[in-house]
Amino acid sequence: MEDAELIWFASEFREGILDGGSSQMMCWAVSAPLAALLEMHGVETELVEADLGDCNHFYLRLPDGRVLDPTADQFNHLRVDPMPAVYLGPPADCHGIAPALPRHPMNAEGE
């Protein structure tokens, strides 16, 4: 998937989840299902949880190390340079430095 299509896809998905609402405190609710949907479309991502001190933040990391953050704008009240609603690029200050969350294999019953 090309970058422009990836941003469009994530933006449309975000809008479907948020339905015009704020992205504040919605990073997991958007990022986790987006990761699963992208995987279904052949786009490899890792769900990452960053510890930002006062809070944690979830976003997606691509195999090339770039970040796909569908709720990056929730931190704009803290920033001089605002982030777009969906950010694709190198890790920024709101992405901290964190390992990917471990993937837990499902058993035969899907649990």
Short mmCIF file of all heavy atoms in Angstrom, two decimals, residues 12-73:
data_model
loop_
_atom_site.label_atom_id
_atom_site.label_comp_id
_atom_site.label_asym_id
_atom_site.label_seq_id
_atom_site.Cartn_x
_atom_site.Cartn_y
_atom_site.Cartn_z
N GLU A 12 -9.93 7.25 7.02
CA GLU A 12 -11.31 6.78 6.89
C GLU A 12 -11.69 5.86 8.05
O GLU A 12 -12.79 5.96 8.59
CB GLU A 12 -11.50 6.04 5.56
CG GLU A 12 -11.41 6.96 4.35
CD GLU A 12 -12.56 7.95 4.29
OE1 GLU A 12 -13.72 7.53 4.40
OE2 GLU A 12 -12.27 9.15 4.13
N PHE A 13 -10.77 4.98 8.44
CA PHE A 13 -11.03 4.09 9.56
C PHE A 13 -11.22 4.88 10.85
O PHE A 13 -12.15 4.63 11.61
CB PHE A 13 -9.87 3.08 9.71
CG PHE A 13 -10.12 2.08 10.79
CD1 PHE A 13 -10.89 0.96 10.55
CD2 PHE A 13 -9.58 2.26 12.06
CE1 PHE A 13 -11.13 0.04 11.55
CE2 PHE A 13 -9.82 1.34 13.06
CZ PHE A 13 -10.60 0.22 12.80
N ARG A 14 -10.32 5.84 11.08
CA ARG A 14 -10.39 6.69 12.27
C ARG A 14 -11.76 7.38 12.34
O ARG A 14 -12.40 7.39 13.39
CB ARG A 14 -9.27 7.73 12.21
CG ARG A 14 -9.39 8.86 13.20
CD ARG A 14 -8.47 10.02 12.78
NE ARG A 14 -8.90 11.27 13.35
CZ ARG A 14 -8.30 11.88 14.35
NH1 ARG A 14 -7.23 11.36 14.90
NH2 ARG A 14 -8.76 13.02 14.79
N GLU A 15 -12.19 7.94 11.22
CA GLU A 15 -13.47 8.65 11.20
C GLU A 15 -14.62 7.70 11.52
O GLU A 15 -15.56 8.06 12.21
CB GLU A 15 -13.69 9.34 9.86
CG GLU A 15 -14.98 10.12 9.77
CD GLU A 15 -15.17 11.17 10.87
OE1 GLU A 15 -14.18 11.76 11.34
OE2 GLU A 15 -16.34 11.39 11.29
N GLY A 16 -14.52 6.48 11.01
CA GLY A 16 -15.57 5.50 11.29
C GLY A 16 -15.64 5.15 12.77
O GLY A 16 -16.73 4.96 13.31
N ILE A 17 -14.50 5.08 13.44
CA ILE A 17 -14.48 4.77 14.87
C ILE A 17 -14.90 5.98 15.70
O ILE A 17 -15.73 5.88 16.60
CB ILE A 17 -13.08 4.30 15.32
CG1 ILE A 17 -12.68 3.00 14.64
CG2 ILE A 17 -13.00 4.18 16.85
CD1 ILE A 17 -13.44 1.78 15.10
N LEU A 18 -14.31 7.14 15.40
CA LEU A 18 -14.56 8.33 16.22
C LEU A 18 -15.88 9.02 15.89
O LEU A 18 -16.42 9.75 16.73
CB LEU A 18 -13.41 9.33 16.07
CG LEU A 18 -12.03 8.84 16.53
CD1 LEU A 18 -10.99 9.93 16.31
CD2 LEU A 18 -12.06 8.39 17.97
N ASP A 19 -16.37 8.84 14.68
CA ASP A 19 -17.66 9.43 14.25
C ASP A 19 -17.73 10.93 14.56
O ASP A 19 -18.71 11.41 15.14
CB ASP A 19 -18.81 8.68 14.90
CG ASP A 19 -20.15 9.00 14.25
OD1 ASP A 19 -20.17 9.36 13.06
OD2 ASP A 19 -21.18 8.89 14.95
N GLY A 20 -16.65 11.63 14.25
CA GLY A 20 -16.63 13.08 14.47
C GLY A 20 -16.19 13.49 15.86
O GLY A 20 -16.04 14.67 16.14
N GLY A 21 -15.99 12.53 16.75
CA GLY A 21 -15.58 12.83 18.11
C GLY A 21 -14.08 13.07 18.23
O GLY A 21 -13.32 12.93 17.27
N SER A 22 -13.66 13.40 19.41
CA SER A 22 -12.26 13.68 19.70
C SER A 22 -11.43 12.40 19.71
O SER A 22 -11.92 11.33 20.09
CB SER A 22 -12.16 14.36 21.07
OG SER A 22 -10.82 14.44 21.50
N SER A 23 -10.17 12.54 19.37
CA SER A 23 -9.25 11.40 19.44
C SER A 23 -8.63 11.27 20.83
O SER A 23 -7.90 10.31 21.10
CB SER A 23 -8.14 11.55 18.39
OG SER A 23 -7.33 12.67 18.69
N GLN A 24 -8.92 12.21 21.71
CA GLN A 24 -8.36 12.20 23.07
C GLN A 24 -8.68 10.89 23.77
O GLN A 24 -9.84 10.47 23.85
CB GLN A 24 -8.96 13.37 23.86
CG GLN A 24 -8.23 13.72 25.12
CD GLN A 24 -6.93 14.46 24.84
OE1 GLN A 24 -6.72 15.02 23.78
NE2 GLN A 24 -6.05 14.45 25.81
N MET A 25 -7.64 10.19 24.24
CA MET A 25 -7.77 8.94 24.99
C MET A 25 -8.37 7.81 24.15
O MET A 25 -8.89 6.84 24.70
CB MET A 25 -8.61 9.14 26.26
CG MET A 25 -8.12 10.24 27.18
SD MET A 25 -6.64 9.81 28.08
CE MET A 25 -7.28 8.59 29.19
N MET A 26 -8.30 7.91 22.83
CA MET A 26 -8.87 6.89 21.95
C MET A 26 -7.81 6.14 21.15
O MET A 26 -8.14 5.42 20.21
CB MET A 26 -9.88 7.55 20.99
CG MET A 26 -11.10 8.11 21.67
SD MET A 26 -12.12 6.83 22.44
CE MET A 26 -12.75 5.99 21.00
N CYS A 27 -6.54 6.29 21.52
CA CYS A 27 -5.47 5.72 20.71
C CYS A 27 -5.56 4.20 20.61
O CYS A 27 -5.40 3.65 19.52
CB CYS A 27 -4.10 6.18 21.18
SG CYS A 27 -3.76 5.90 22.92
N TRP A 28 -5.83 3.50 21.70
CA TRP A 28 -5.93 2.05 21.62
C TRP A 28 -7.17 1.64 20.83
O TRP A 28 -7.11 0.72 20.01
CB TRP A 28 -5.97 1.42 23.01
CG TRP A 28 -5.91 -0.07 22.92
CD1 TRP A 28 -4.78 -0.84 22.88
CD2 TRP A 28 -7.01 -0.97 22.81
NE1 TRP A 28 -5.12 -2.16 22.76
CE2 TRP A 28 -6.49 -2.27 22.71
CE3 TRP A 28 -8.38 -0.79 22.79
CZ2 TRP A 28 -7.30 -3.39 22.59
CZ3 TRP A 28 -9.20 -1.91 22.66
CH2 TRP A 28 -8.65 -3.19 22.57
N ALA A 29 -8.29 2.32 21.08
CA ALA A 29 -9.55 1.97 20.43
C ALA A 29 -9.48 2.13 18.92
O ALA A 29 -10.21 1.45 18.19
CB ALA A 29 -10.68 2.83 20.99
N VAL A 30 -8.60 3.00 18.43
CA VAL A 30 -8.43 3.17 16.99
C VAL A 30 -7.27 2.32 16.48
O VAL A 30 -7.39 1.63 15.46
CB VAL A 30 -8.21 4.66 16.63
CG1 VAL A 30 -7.95 4.84 15.14
CG2 VAL A 30 -9.40 5.51 17.06
N SER A 31 -6.14 2.33 17.17
CA SER A 31 -4.94 1.67 16.67
C SER A 31 -5.03 0.14 16.65
O SER A 31 -4.58 -0.49 15.69
CB SER A 31 -3.73 2.08 17.51
OG SER A 31 -3.46 3.45 17.35
N ALA A 32 -5.58 -0.45 17.69
CA ALA A 32 -5.62 -1.92 17.76
C ALA A 32 -6.46 -2.53 16.63
O ALA A 32 -5.97 -3.42 15.91
CB ALA A 32 -6.11 -2.38 19.13
N PRO A 33 -7.69 -2.09 16.42
CA PRO A 33 -8.44 -2.69 15.31
C PRO A 33 -7.89 -2.28 13.94
O PRO A 33 -7.99 -3.05 12.98
CB PRO A 33 -9.87 -2.21 15.52
CG PRO A 33 -9.78 -1.02 16.41
CD PRO A 33 -8.54 -1.21 17.23
N LEU A 34 -7.29 -1.09 13.85
CA LEU A 34 -6.67 -0.69 12.59
C LEU A 34 -5.53 -1.63 12.23
O LEU A 34 -5.37 -2.01 11.07
CB LEU A 34 -6.19 0.76 12.66
CG LEU A 34 -5.46 1.29 11.42
CD1 LEU A 34 -6.34 1.22 10.18
CD2 LEU A 34 -4.98 2.72 11.67
N ALA A 35 -4.74 -2.03 13.21
CA ALA A 35 -3.64 -2.97 12.97
C ALA A 35 -4.18 -4.28 12.39
O ALA A 35 -3.62 -4.82 11.43
CB ALA A 35 -2.86 -3.22 14.26
N ALA A 36 -5.25 -4.78 12.96
CA ALA A 36 -5.85 -6.04 12.47
C ALA A 36 -6.38 -5.88 11.05
O ALA A 36 -6.17 -6.75 10.20
CB ALA A 36 -6.96 -6.48 13.41
N LEU A 37 -7.03 -4.78 10.77
CA LEU A 37 -7.59 -4.56 9.43
C LEU A 37 -6.47 -4.38 8.40
O LEU A 37 -6.56 -4.93 7.30
CB LEU A 37 -8.50 -3.33 9.44
CG LEU A 37 -9.27 -3.05 8.15
CD1 LEU A 37 -10.14 -4.25 7.77
CD2 LEU A 37 -10.12 -1.80 8.31
N LEU A 38 -5.43 -3.65 8.75
CA LEU A 38 -4.31 -3.49 7.82
C LEU A 38 -3.65 -4.84 7.54
O LEU A 38 -3.27 -5.12 6.39
CB LEU A 38 -3.29 -2.50 8.38
CG LEU A 38 -3.70 -1.04 8.30
CD1 LEU A 38 -2.74 -0.17 9.10
CD2 LEU A 38 -3.79 -0.57 6.85
N GLU A 39 -3.52 -5.67 8.56
CA GLU A 39 -2.94 -7.00 8.37
C GLU A 39 -3.77 -7.82 7.39
O GLU A 39 -3.24 -8.52 6.54
CB GLU A 39 -2.81 -7.73 9.70
CG GLU A 39 -2.06 -9.03 9.58
CD GLU A 39 -1.75 -9.65 10.92
OE1 GLU A 39 -1.39 -8.92 11.86
OE2 GLU A 39 -1.87 -10.89 11.02
N MET A 40 -5.10 -7.69 7.48
CA MET A 40 -5.98 -8.38 6.54
C MET A 40 -5.75 -7.91 5.11
O MET A 40 -6.02 -8.65 4.16
CB MET A 40 -7.45 -8.17 6.94
CG MET A 40 -7.85 -8.88 8.19
SD MET A 40 -9.52 -8.48 8.77
CE MET A 40 -10.51 -8.70 7.31
N HIS A 41 -5.28 -6.67 4.96
CA HIS A 41 -4.99 -6.10 3.63
C HIS A 41 -3.53 -6.25 3.24
O HIS A 41 -3.07 -5.61 2.29
CB HIS A 41 -5.41 -4.62 3.60
CG HIS A 41 -6.89 -4.44 3.53
ND1 HIS A 41 -7.59 -4.42 2.35
CD2 HIS A 41 -7.81 -4.30 4.51
CE1 HIS A 41 -8.88 -4.26 2.59
NE2 HIS A 41 -9.04 -4.20 3.91
N GLY A 42 -2.78 -7.05 4.00
CA GLY A 42 -1.40 -7.33 3.65
C GLY A 42 -0.39 -6.30 4.11
O GLY A 42 0.75 -6.31 3.65
N VAL A 43 -0.78 -5.40 5.01
CA VAL A 43 0.14 -4.38 5.52
C VAL A 43 0.59 -4.80 6.90
O VAL A 43 -0.21 -4.87 7.84
CB VAL A 43 -0.53 -2.99 5.58
CG1 VAL A 43 0.43 -1.95 6.14
CG2 VAL A 43 -1.03 -2.57 4.20
N GLU A 44 1.88 -5.06 7.04
CA GLU A 44 2.43 -5.50 8.32
C GLU A 44 2.63 -4.29 9.23
O GLU A 44 3.20 -3.28 8.83
CB GLU A 44 3.78 -6.18 8.09
CG GLU A 44 4.38 -6.75 9.33
CD GLU A 44 5.73 -7.41 9.06
OE1 GLU A 44 6.02 -7.75 7.90
OE2 GLU A 44 6.49 -7.56 10.04
N THR A 45 2.13 -4.39 10.46
CA THR A 45 2.32 -3.35 11.47
C THR A 45 2.54 -4.01 12.82
O THR A 45 2.24 -5.19 13.00
CB THR A 45 1.10 -2.41 11.59
OG1 THR A 45 -0.02 -3.15 12.07
CG2 THR A 45 0.76 -1.74 10.28
N GLU A 46 3.05 -3.25 13.75
CA GLU A 46 3.17 -3.68 15.15
C GLU A 46 2.44 -2.65 16.00
O GLU A 46 2.65 -1.45 15.83
CB GLU A 46 4.62 -3.72 15.59
CG GLU A 46 5.46 -4.75 14.90
CD GLU A 46 6.89 -4.69 15.37
OE1 GLU A 46 7.65 -3.88 14.82
OE2 GLU A 46 7.24 -5.46 16.29
N LEU A 47 1.61 -3.11 16.90
CA LEU A 47 0.96 -2.23 17.86
C LEU A 47 1.97 -1.93 18.95
O LEU A 47 2.52 -2.84 19.57
CB LEU A 47 -0.29 -2.88 18.45
CG LEU A 47 -1.08 -2.07 19.46
CD1 LEU A 47 -1.64 -0.80 18.83
CD2 LEU A 47 -2.20 -2.91 20.04
N VAL A 48 2.23 -0.65 19.18
CA VAL A 48 3.25 -0.22 20.14
C VAL A 48 2.58 0.60 21.24
O VAL A 48 1.69 1.41 20.96
CB VAL A 48 4.33 0.64 19.44
CG1 VAL A 48 5.35 1.17 20.44
CG2 VAL A 48 5.02 -0.17 18.36
N GLU A 49 3.02 0.37 22.47
CA GLU A 49 2.58 1.18 23.61
C GLU A 49 3.79 1.95 24.12
O GLU A 49 4.79 1.36 24.51
CB GLU A 49 2.01 0.30 24.72
CG GLU A 49 1.56 1.12 25.92
CD GLU A 49 0.99 0.25 27.03
OE1 GLU A 49 1.22 -0.98 27.02
OE2 GLU A 49 0.32 0.81 27.92
N ALA A 50 3.70 3.26 24.11
CA ALA A 50 4.77 4.11 24.60
C ALA A 50 4.38 4.68 25.95
O ALA A 50 3.25 5.15 26.13
CB ALA A 50 5.04 5.25 23.62
N ASP A 51 5.30 4.64 26.89
CA ASP A 51 5.10 5.23 28.21
C ASP A 51 5.58 6.67 28.13
O ASP A 51 6.76 6.94 27.98
CB ASP A 51 5.90 4.46 29.24
CG ASP A 51 5.74 5.00 30.66
OD1 ASP A 51 5.12 6.08 30.83
OD2 ASP A 51 6.24 4.34 31.59
N LEU A 52 4.65 7.60 28.21
CA LEU A 52 4.97 9.02 28.11
C LEU A 52 5.05 9.69 29.47
O LEU A 52 5.05 10.92 29.56
CB LEU A 52 3.95 9.74 27.22
CG LEU A 52 3.82 9.19 25.80
CD1 LEU A 52 2.77 9.97 25.03
CD2 LEU A 52 5.14 9.17 25.08
N GLY A 53 5.10 8.92 30.52
CA GLY A 53 5.19 9.48 31.87
C GLY A 53 3.82 9.64 32.48
O GLY A 53 3.39 8.80 33.27
N ASP A 54 3.10 10.69 32.12
CA ASP A 54 1.77 10.94 32.66
C ASP A 54 0.71 10.04 32.04
O ASP A 54 -0.38 9.91 32.59
CB ASP A 54 1.37 12.40 32.46
CG ASP A 54 2.21 13.34 33.29
OD1 ASP A 54 2.80 12.89 34.29
OD2 ASP A 54 2.28 14.54 32.95
N CYS A 55 1.02 9.47 30.88
CA CYS A 55 0.06 8.61 30.19
C CYS A 55 0.80 7.66 29.27
O CYS A 55 1.99 7.81 29.04
CB CYS A 55 -0.95 9.45 29.41
SG CYS A 55 -0.23 10.33 28.00
N ASN A 56 0.08 6.70 28.75
CA ASN A 56 0.61 5.81 27.72
C ASN A 56 -0.07 6.15 26.41
O ASN A 56 -1.17 6.71 26.40
CB ASN A 56 0.36 4.35 28.07
CG ASN A 56 1.20 3.90 29.24
OD1 ASN A 56 1.96 4.68 29.82
ND2 ASN A 56 1.09 2.65 29.59
N HIS A 57 0.60 5.80 25.31
CA HIS A 57 0.05 6.09 23.99
C HIS A 57 0.27 4.89 23.09
O HIS A 57 1.35 4.31 23.08
CB HIS A 57 0.74 7.34 23.41
CG HIS A 57 0.28 7.71 22.04
ND1 HIS A 57 -1.05 7.87 21.73
CD2 HIS A 57 0.97 7.95 20.89
CE1 HIS A 57 -1.16 8.19 20.44
NE2 HIS A 57 0.05 8.25 19.91
N PHE A 58 -0.77 4.51 22.35
CA PHE A 58 -0.70 3.41 21.41
C PHE A 58 -0.67 3.95 19.98
O PHE A 58 -1.38 4.91 19.66
CB PHE A 58 -1.93 2.50 21.55
CG PHE A 58 -1.93 1.71 22.82
CD1 PHE A 58 -2.51 2.22 23.97
CD2 PHE A 58 -1.36 0.45 22.86
CE1 PHE A 58 -2.53 1.49 25.14
CE2 PHE A 58 -1.37 -0.30 24.03
CZ PHE A 58 -1.95 0.22 25.17
N TYR A 59 0.12 3.32 19.15
CA TYR A 59 0.22 3.67 17.74
C TYR A 59 0.78 2.46 17.02
O TYR A 59 1.07 1.42 17.63
CB TYR A 59 1.11 4.90 17.53
CG TYR A 59 2.52 4.73 18.04
CD1 TYR A 59 3.52 4.24 17.22
CD2 TYR A 59 2.85 5.04 19.36
CE1 TYR A 59 4.82 4.07 17.69
CE2 TYR A 59 4.13 4.88 19.83
CZ TYR A 59 5.11 4.39 19.00
OH TYR A 59 6.38 4.22 19.47
N LEU A 60 0.94 2.55 15.69
CA LEU A 60 1.45 1.45 14.90
C LEU A 60 2.84 1.76 14.38
O LEU A 60 3.13 2.91 14.02
CB LEU A 60 0.51 1.17 13.72
CG LEU A 60 -0.95 0.91 14.09
CD1 LEU A 60 -1.78 0.69 12.85
CD2 LEU A 60 -1.06 -0.26 15.04
N ARG A 61 3.68 0.73 14.35
CA ARG A 61 5.01 0.87 13.76
C ARG A 61 5.07 -0.03 12.53
O ARG A 61 4.67 -1.19 12.57
CB ARG A 61 6.09 0.47 14.76
CG ARG A 61 7.49 0.67 14.21
CD ARG A 61 8.59 0.51 15.23
NE ARG A 61 8.37 -0.63 16.11
CZ ARG A 61 8.67 -0.62 17.41
NH1 ARG A 61 9.16 0.44 18.00
NH2 ARG A 61 8.46 -1.69 18.15
N LEU A 62 5.59 0.53 11.44
CA LEU A 62 5.76 -0.21 10.20
C LEU A 62 7.12 -0.91 10.20
O LEU A 62 8.02 -0.51 10.95
CB LEU A 62 5.64 0.75 9.02
CG LEU A 62 4.32 1.52 8.92
CD1 LEU A 62 4.38 2.54 7.80
CD2 LEU A 62 3.16 0.58 8.72
N PRO A 63 7.31 -1.92 9.37
CA PRO A 63 8.59 -2.64 9.34
C PRO A 63 9.79 -1.74 9.05
O PRO A 63 10.90 -2.05 9.49
CB PRO A 63 8.40 -3.67 8.22
CG PRO A 63 6.93 -3.89 8.15
CD PRO A 63 6.32 -2.55 8.50
N ASP A 64 9.61 -0.64 8.35
CA ASP A 64 10.73 0.26 8.05
C ASP A 64 11.04 1.23 9.19
O ASP A 64 11.90 2.10 9.07
CB ASP A 64 10.49 1.03 6.75
CG ASP A 64 9.29 1.98 6.80
OD1 ASP A 64 8.69 2.17 7.89
OD2 ASP A 64 8.94 2.53 5.74
N GLY A 65 10.32 1.09 10.33
CA GLY A 65 10.57 1.92 11.51
C GLY A 65 9.71 3.16 11.59
O GLY A 65 9.70 3.84 12.62
N ARG A 66 9.00 3.48 10.53
CA ARG A 66 8.12 4.65 10.58
C ARG A 66 6.90 4.36 11.45
O ARG A 66 6.54 3.22 11.70
CB ARG A 66 7.66 5.06 9.18
CG ARG A 66 8.77 5.60 8.32
CD ARG A 66 8.27 6.06 6.97
NE ARG A 66 7.60 4.94 6.30
CZ ARG A 66 6.72 5.10 5.31
NH1 ARG A 66 6.38 6.30 4.89
NH2 ARG A 66 6.16 4.05 4.75
N VAL A 67 6.28 5.43 11.86
CA VAL A 67 5.10 5.38 12.72
C VAL A 67 3.86 5.70 11.88
O VAL A 67 3.88 6.61 11.05
CB VAL A 67 5.24 6.44 13.85
CG1 VAL A 67 3.93 6.71 14.54
CG2 VAL A 67 6.31 6.02 14.82
N LEU A 68 2.79 4.96 12.12
CA LEU A 68 1.46 5.30 11.63
C LEU A 68 0.63 5.53 12.88
O LEU A 68 0.33 4.60 13.62
CB LEU A 68 0.86 4.19 10.77
CG LEU A 68 -0.57 4.43 10.28
CD1 LEU A 68 -0.64 5.67 9.39
CD2 LEU A 68 -1.10 3.21 9.55
N ASP A 69 0.31 6.79 13.14
CA ASP A 69 -0.40 7.16 14.37
C ASP A 69 -1.74 7.77 13.99
O ASP A 69 -1.81 8.92 13.56
CB ASP A 69 0.43 8.15 15.17
CG ASP A 69 -0.16 8.46 16.54
OD1 ASP A 69 -1.35 8.16 16.76
OD2 ASP A 69 0.56 9.01 17.37
N PRO A 70 -2.84 7.01 14.15
CA PRO A 70 -4.15 7.51 13.76
C PRO A 70 -4.80 8.47 14.76
O PRO A 70 -5.91 8.94 14.53
CB PRO A 70 -4.98 6.24 13.59
CG PRO A 70 -4.38 5.30 14.58
CD PRO A 70 -2.91 5.62 14.59
N THR A 71 -4.11 8.77 15.86
CA THR A 71 -4.65 9.73 16.84
C THR A 71 -3.57 10.72 17.28
O THR A 71 -3.61 11.21 18.41
CB THR A 71 -5.23 9.01 18.07
OG1 THR A 71 -4.20 8.27 18.73
CG2 THR A 71 -6.39 8.09 17.70
N ALA A 72 -2.64 11.03 16.42
CA ALA A 72 -1.52 11.92 16.77
C ALA A 72 -2.00 13.30 17.20
O ALA A 72 -1.35 13.96 18.02
CB ALA A 72 -0.55 12.04 15.60
N ASP A 73 -3.13 13.74 16.68
CA ASP A 73 -3.62 15.10 16.99
C ASP A 73 -4.08 15.26 18.43
O ASP A 73 -4.25 16.38 18.90
CB ASP A 73 -4.74 15.49 16.03
CG ASP A 73 -5.96 14.59 16.13
OD1 ASP A 73 -5.82 13.40 16.49
OD2 ASP A 73 -7.06 15.08 15.82
#
